[in-house]
Amino acid sequence: LARVEDTVMRPRGFTLLEVLVSLAIFAMTAVVLASAYINVLNAYDVVGRGNARDENVRFARSQLLAEPDRKKAEEGDDFDAGDGVQVKWHATIEPTTTADLFRVVFVCDLNDPKAATPRPPTTETFMLLRPTWSEGADTAKLRGDAKQRILELKKQLP
């Protein structure tokens, strides 16, 4: 014979303590996921600002490379990059011992009023072959010297 207690149906469900523990776990998980999402958004913003900065420096460098007049290239230029960002660039140009070859120190300064801390100017040094920047007498002398060195090297060959 079955006992009467076994046949009585007990109500099934979660206790109040179980519900509170599950809500606490859910809340902690939601906080962790939300903070991770905010960190991802901040990282995207930082990368986007870095790309914009690099793009502004590339544009300023292209202005330097497109300038046929050496004096204007040394003076540089400035332009508004949008969003209140001001870009100012200039260059120091020095001739080398090779005709039409110049050592260029390019300095580009971006003034971003939204930036928390101002960044130092970007400085690049490179060699540039630019015949339009050469002076006539200097170029002729350098080419003559190069021709003389080539002739001397030819004499040394068997």
Side-chain angles (χ1 to χ4, degrees), residues 21-100:
V21 168
S22 65
L23 281 175
I25 291 171
F26 176 76
M28 285 189 288
T29 305
V31 167
V32 168
L33 290 176
S35 65
Y37 181 68
I38 288 172
N39 286 340
V40 168
L41 290 179
N42 286 338
Y44 276 127
D45 185 46
V46 168
V47 168
R49 276 188 269 129
N51 287 342
R53 179 178 174 81
D54 292 343
E55 193 173 307
N56 290 332
V57 171
R58 278 193 301 271
F59 182 72
R61 188 183 325 106
S62 71
Q63 285 185 328
L64 166 70
L65 296 176
E67 183 57 56
D69 184 17
R70 179 177 169 183
K71 294 291 183 201
K72 287 182 182 177
E74 287 179 318
E75 291 172 3
D77 197 7
D78 59 347
F79 59 91
D80 182 19
D83 291 338
V85 177
Q86 287 291 97
V87 180
K88 185 173 179 123
W89 64 270
H90 67 278
T92 304
I93 302 171
E94 300 170 354
T96 62
T97 58
T98 305
D100 302 332

Side-chain angles (χ1 to χ4, degrees), residues 119-137:
R119 298 184 78 184
T122 301
T123 303
E124 299 174 354
T125 302
F126 49 89
M127 303 301 278
L128 186 61
L129 185 64
R130 184 55 54 96
T132 60
W133 290 353
S134 296
E135 310 260 336

